[in-house]
Amino acid sequence: MAYLELYVAICKVRCAGDARHWLLIVAYPGEEHGTWYHVTGGPTHDKDYKLEIQTKRVDNHKIESYYKVGNLQEVDVKKLKASAQSITPKFCQRWIVDVLKDLERKSLVSSGTSDAWYQKMEVDPYSHDGASS
């Protein structure tokens, strides 16, 4: 059965002092394109937070690093999408942690994955969703 790889991707710093943008990417191994799950908007854009699900290049010049968090069977991609859609859009890093927690509950990523990523969160200067300083 075919599987896809699930990554947390971290974008390059836009402006000094800003928190970096995080997103989830799921793609077949070696494929050029995958599905991006991420939250856009927020106070820095003077817009409400919004979930974006897009097909884009996996290797993108805006992304600084990729961290594989697991493999998903093709049949489980719908569960990933359901998790992404069920979590209220918010500060991207906190949203990622919340989605990973839901994926843990569904046994799609290893237990403790969300806690590990919570520890890596940067402070969101616009809300209380960020990790404490």
Side-chain angles (χ1 to χ4, degrees), residues 3-133:
Y3 72 94
L4 296 92
E5 297 173 324
L6 178 63
Y7 293 89
V8 172
I10 300 177
C11 292
K12 297 174 183 173
V13 174
R14 293 181 207 152
C15 297
D18 282 354
R20 290 173 292 170
H21 185 61
W22 291 8
L23 57 142
L24 290 172
I25 298 176
V26 64
Y28 289 101
E31 287 291 318
E32 285 187 19
H33 290 84
T35 304
W36 288 26
Y37 296 84
H38 63 122
V39 172
T40 60
T44 58
H45 301 284
D46 198 29
K47 296 180 181 177
D48 291 339
Y49 287 112
K50 178 182 172 190
L51 171 62
E52 297 278 344
I53 301 174
Q54 305 164 300
T55 300
K56 292 183 125 182
R57 289 184 57 83
V58 173
D59 185 19
N60 186 288
H61 70 280
K62 294 180 181 180
I63 298 175
E64 178 179 274
S65 50
Y66 300 82
Y67 300 91
K68 186 174 176 184
V69 293
N71 292 328
L72 297 178
Q73 299 298 320
E74 285 180 321
V75 296
D76 292 329
V77 173
K78 289 180 183 178
K79 293 177 186 176
L80 166 62
K81 185 175 182 179
S83 291
Q85 292 174 325
S86 73
I87 303 300
T88 302
K90 61 188 83 154
F91 174 54
C92 63
Q93 295 180 18
R94 181 64 202 194
W95 180 83
I96 293 284
V97 169
D98 290 350
V99 171
L100 290 173
K101 187 166 225 42
D102 197 53
L103 295 177
E104 280 180 44
R105 186 183 60 76
K106 295 176 180 178
S107 300
L108 296 178
V109 298
S110 301
S111 179
T113 301
S114 63
D115 288 339
W117 282 96
Y118 177 80
Q119 298 302 318
K120 296 175 185 184
M121 282 175 46
E122 300 165 325
V123 174
D124 176 4
Y126 298 101
S127 73
H128 299 291
D129 290 333
S132 59
S133 52

